[in-house]
Amino acid sequence: MIRNSLKSILLMLLPLLLLFSSGCQTFSPKSPTGVRGAELAGEWQMDQLLVELEAGEESLVLLRLADGDKVDGYFFLEKGDAVNFQIAGNSLIYESRAKDGEALSSNVTSDRFAFVTSRGQGNTYTLTFRNPAGDEQTKASIFLEVIYPVTGTLFLAVERK
């Protein structure tokens, strides 16, 4: 009797042990996390985010805005060697460049950006960060601040594996 009970318990625990030992994750850690946010003068929303990326990963921040809205922001690397950064609506609006002027250079560690939305670009804007590092040990940690009209909405992507 005890032997059968022990066998039943082991059979029930075995799938759980396999699940946890396989490193299975439901959600990817690529989504930025909010650090803080505040409403400024009743007209603007300021959000500060932390974006953590493994080598070769990318992360998205989406802004839903009205025609003619102004957006301002900046980012800097807290950890890592470099980052690629782009802003796009219906097409590419902005791309960070290194001091040498080359697009998507491995020398971009910070940048400031500003843009005005337009009907031609749509109402959803994507801020994309990519960690260009080829070495699996090179993790990037990016601080981002975005200021946009209080009527806008910021969305963080949830990615599933």
Side-chain angles (χ1 to χ4, degrees), residues 9-88:
I9 291 172
L10 286 175
L11 286 174
M12 290 172 44
L13 290 176
L14 186 60
L16 291 174
L17 290 172
L18 289 173
L19 178 67
F20 289 118
S21 67
S22 69
C24 181
Q25 292 180 331
T26 304
F27 295 101
S28 171
K30 297 175 195 167
S31 184
T33 56
V35 175
R36 67 183 59 91
E39 191 172 302
L40 307 172
E43 295 180 33
W44 302 97
Q45 176 66 37
M46 182 271 305
D47 284 305
Q48 295 177 337
L49 306 169
L50 181 61
V51 181
E52 298 205 0
L53 298 172
E54 298 295 332
E57 287 185 337
E58 77 174 25
S59 184
L60 308 175
V61 176
L62 304 175
L63 289 169
R64 185 171 182 135
L65 303 162
D67 185 37
D69 281 351
K70 296 177 183 178
V71 178
D72 187 36
Y74 68 93
F75 70 87
F76 63 86
L77 260 65
E78 291 183 336
K79 179 182 176 184
D81 297 328
V83 67
N84 296 339
F85 176 72
Q86 295 179 335
I87 301 171

Side-chain angles (χ1 to χ4, degrees), residues 21-160:
S21 67
S22 69
C24 181
Q25 292 180 331
T26 304
F27 295 101
S28 171
K30 297 175 195 167
S31 184
T33 56
V35 175
R36 67 183 59 91
E39 191 172 302
L40 307 172
E43 295 180 33
W44 302 97
Q45 176 66 37
M46 182 271 305
D47 284 305
Q48 295 177 337
L49 306 169
L50 181 61
V51 181
E52 298 205 0
L53 298 172
E54 298 295 332
E57 287 185 337
E58 77 174 25
S59 184
L60 308 175
V61 176
L62 304 175
L63 289 169
R64 185 171 182 135
L65 303 162
D67 185 37
D69 281 351
K70 296 177 183 178
V71 178
D72 187 36
Y74 68 93
F75 70 87
F76 63 86
L77 260 65
E78 291 183 336
K79 179 182 176 184
D81 297 328
V83 67
N84 296 339
F85 176 72
Q86 295 179 335
I87 301 171
N90 289 337
S91 62
L92 183 65
I93 296 171
Y94 179 79
E95 182 173 53
S96 286
R97 297 185 180 272
K99 291 178 185 175
D100 62 8
E102 292 202 22
L104 299 176
S105 172
S106 61
N107 298 326
V108 176
T109 58
S110 65
D111 201 359
R112 182 169 186 80
F113 57 89
F115 64 96
V116 177
T117 63
S118 69
R119 187 167 290 133
Q121 287 290 346
N123 64 0
T124 303
Y125 295 79
T126 306
L127 284 62
T128 305
F129 288 95
R130 286 186 191 88
N131 182 351
D135 180 4
E136 291 182 20
Q137 302 299 316
T138 307
K139 184 176 183 178
S141 182
I142 306 147
F143 176 85
L144 167 67
E145 181 175 287
V146 182
I147 300 173
Y148 54 95
V150 73
T151 55
T153 308
L154 183 137
F155 297 97
L156 302 178
V158 175
E159 298 183 30
R160 296 177 189 232

